Amino acid sequence: MPTTNTQRVRKSSSSIPIFILHAHKIVVFCSAAIFTCLFAVNLFLVADLEKQSIVVNESWQIQNHPTTYNNVNDNQVEFDQNDNNSNNTATNPVIDYFRRAGVELDNDSIESLPTWSQIESIIGKKPVFRGLDTCEKFRQTVPPLGRMLGSAGMFNSGTNLVTRLMKENCVIPERFNKYAPDGSKEDYGIRWQCPWGKHTPANFKNNHTAPKNEEIIKDHCLPIVTVRNPFDWMVSMCNIPYTARWPHHRICPHLVEMSSNGKKVPVGVKVKLAEQWLNFDSLADLWNEFYAQYYRDFEYPYLIVRFEDLTFRQYETTKTICECAGGVVKPQNMFKYIIKSAKQGPGHGKVSERTGMVEAWIKYGQPKQVKGGFSDEDYDAAIELLSHEFMESMGYKYPPPAPII
């Protein structure tokens, strides 16, 4: 039967509203589907971020653990590489360092402080470490909840300074997540010393345990071994020898003396370490042997760090140490610098003679004295007796000799 014009209109008009009538249902369905998809994606992203980002506390936002956070460019962590001798406090990088540390400098201090180029001429352009190649082994073999850092090193080498920096600025995130917010610094993975004792020679690791460390797994502690330019270190040992014993009250460091037959012989040193007296050929031999037992003999991960980098590059050096053990550091704008002397309590000499940040920069940022201030005999002996290989590997230079007249 033929279709009339009226029927055509009705059929045509009725076919259009079918889509319109159901359009709202389609929109609702699609919207729900899109929302569901977006919600699922959001959950995935949140879950992924939770794996990578750890909010340690209100002031610590650690991103992309363990290697990047706070978008800090390591090449600009401490100083611009260009020297700036300007007295303009707004552009002088040394003054800016102290400003970030919360230290207001007086004019006398500003005039006494070295320039950054002077500092670099003494300690080099970058921090120096030994044992960085063992960090990965530590992270791979020690479970995150077991990881710990502890200081080690000879007397007067910066063990207190590195401990203070770590305790104020570094945590092992997995340990923090377990013990926060009421845990101690030790709970968060930062110990005062490794279980065998911070001044104990490395060869005693397996047969000596410091008090209150009996339950600690020794292999779970990464020793952060502080070392210091031996010429400065020997002077400090003369001033505060702790348990070291050798005749040095009239001559410092008194490395050699004349024998009865007119030959130079080393002046022996005995030092009480690990509750027993140990003998060394000289003060230089003590410095050599203590650190060699880590880089030469130690079969476990370790990290040797310079006192000078802990003094002049606190943030950058702390960051490297902390991340070696799988830890995370406060962002630079939240970093706590150690301003006063890190040596606290009795047994470290007179409080008035302890060195804070400003004094340390002025004292150690100056060129070395001729022969290090040593006598001709001690200077020649130091060059002969100190380990040239270790000196070079740590970027240490010998003081200049006396000018030839």
Side-chain angles (χ1 to χ4, degrees):
M1 180 178 179
T3 303
T4 63
N5 291 336
T6 302
Q7 289 174 323
R8 286 194 189 100
V9 171
R10 285 178 180 175
K11 186 175 181 180
S12 174
S13 61
S14 63
S15 64
I16 294 174
I18 289 175
F19 173 80
I20 296 175
L21 287 172
H22 295 283
H24 70 287
K25 298 179 182 179
I26 297 171
V27 169
V28 170
F29 175 80
C30 291
S31 299
I34 292 172
F35 178 80
T36 302
C37 290
L38 290 174
F39 182 73
V41 170
N42 184 62
L43 286 178
F44 174 80
L45 291 174
V46 168
D48 185 58
L49 285 173
E50 286 179 347
K51 293 179 182 179
Q52 300 184 43
S53 178
I54 302 169
V55 179
V56 175
N57 59 34
E58 292 181 357
S59 65
W60 287 23
Q61 176 65 50
I62 302 163
Q63 302 170 349
N64 298 326
H65 169 71
T67 55
T68 60
Y69 61 94
N70 202 36
N71 296 322
V72 174
N73 182 340
D74 284 347
N75 293 328
Q76 298 175 344
V77 166
E78 293 296 354
F79 293 104
D80 294 329
Q81 295 301 311
N82 296 325
D83 183 30
N84 192 332
N85 296 319
S86 171
N87 290 325
N88 184 349
T89 59
T91 59
N92 188 310
V94 172
I95 296 174
D96 182 60
Y97 181 100
F98 283 93
R99 182 180 292 113
R100 283 190 278 115
V103 178
E104 290 297 327
L105 299 169
D106 56 32
N107 290 332
D108 290 341
S109 296
I110 292 174
E111 293 178 1
S112 301
L113 283 167
T115 65
W116 184 240
S117 64
Q118 289 174 328
I119 294 170
E120 284 189 330
S121 70
I122 298 170
I123 67 171
K125 294 184 177 296
K126 294 181 179 180
V128 178
F129 301 91
R130 189 156 181 169
L132 277 175
D133 56 332
T134 70
C135 296
E136 184 177 357
K137 178 181 178 181
F138 180 81
R139 296 192 299 267
Q140 289 179 347
T141 57
V142 181
L145 284 175
R147 294 172 187 165
M148 298 172 287
L149 299 90
S151 68
M154 201 59 263
F155 308 125
N156 294 306
S157 67
T159 55
N160 291 292
L161 178 56
V162 75
T163 300
R164 291 281 307 280
L165 284 167
M166 292 297 108
K167 283 181 175 288
E168 294 290 350
N169 298 290
C170 175
V171 297
I172 303 297
E174 293 82 1
R175 294 180 66 104
F176 185 92
N177 287 344
K178 179 178 180 178
Y179 296 107
D182 300 320
S184 65
K185 301 294 186 180
E186 287 76 13
D187 289 333
Y188 302 155
I190 313 301
R191 302 190 62 80
W192 183 255
Q193 60 184 349
C194 277
W196 54 95
K198 66 177 181 176
H199 299 312
T200 302
N203 289 353
F204 284 76
K205 171 180 178 286
N206 294 324
N207 53 26
H208 180 266
T209 302
K212 300 181 180 180
N213 284 265
E214 292 80 6
E215 303 301 321
I216 304 300
I217 300 175
K218 292 180 178 179
D219 290 353
H220 286 186
C221 187
L222 178 70
I224 308 303
V225 188
T226 54
V227 66
R228 186 175 176 185
N229 185 304
F231 286 86
D232 294 330
W233 174 77
M234 286 189 276
V235 172
S236 290
M237 287 295 291
C238 288
N239 293 331
I240 308 178
Y242 293 95
T243 65
R245 300 289 181 267
W246 83 106
H248 64 275
H249 300 293
R250 290 188 301 170
I251 304 174
C252 176
H254 201 189
L255 298 177
V256 293
E257 62 185 0
M258 300 300 293
S259 66
S260 57
N261 60 4
K263 293 183 178 181
K264 293 180 181 178
V265 295
V267 175
V269 174
K270 68 176 184 177
V271 55
K272 192 173 185 180
L273 301 170
E275 288 79 53
Q276 59 185 288
W277 288 99
L278 305 177
N279 294 304
F280 297 88
D281 292 341
S282 66
L283 196 61
D285 181 49
L286 170 59
W287 188 84
N288 290 341
E289 185 61 20
F290 186 93
Y291 295 103
Q293 288 191 18
Y294 277 101
Y295 70 79
R296 182 192 64 204
D297 302 335
F298 207 58
E299 298 178 352
Y300 306 91
Y302 68 92
L303 187 64
I304 299 178
V305 55
R306 301 189 306 180
F307 165 83
E308 293 78 12
D309 290 321
L310 293 167
T311 299
F312 294 107
R313 299 179 171 113
Q314 289 194 9
Y315 174 79
E316 185 177 0
T317 307
T318 301
K319 179 176 182 289
T320 299
I321 296 170
C322 186
E323 290 182 352
C324 175
V328 284
V329 175
K330 287 180 181 178
Q332 191 178 11
N333 61 341
M334 297 292 180
F335 187 84
K336 184 169 182 179
Y337 294 82
I338 304 304
I339 298 170
K340 297 181 180 180
S341 173
K343 293 183 175 182
Q344 303 294 322
H348 300 292
K350 297 179 181 179
V351 174
S352 60
E353 295 178 356
R354 298 178 190 177
T355 306
M357 180 189 285
V358 176
E359 295 80 13
W361 276 56
I362 295 172
K363 182 176 182 179
Y364 302 118
Q366 305 300 327
K368 289 287 182 289
Q369 298 181 53
V370 171
K371 300 181 296 182
F374 292 4
S375 66
D376 291 341
E377 292 78 12
D378 276 340
Y379 178 68
D380 292 341
I383 293 177
E384 178 185 351
L385 298 175
L386 289 169
S387 169
H388 290 224
E389 186 275 333
F390 187 51
M391 286 275 292
E392 183 178 355
S393 72
M394 298 310 298
Y396 288 136
K397 302 175 183 178
Y398 294 94
I404 299 175
I405 299 177

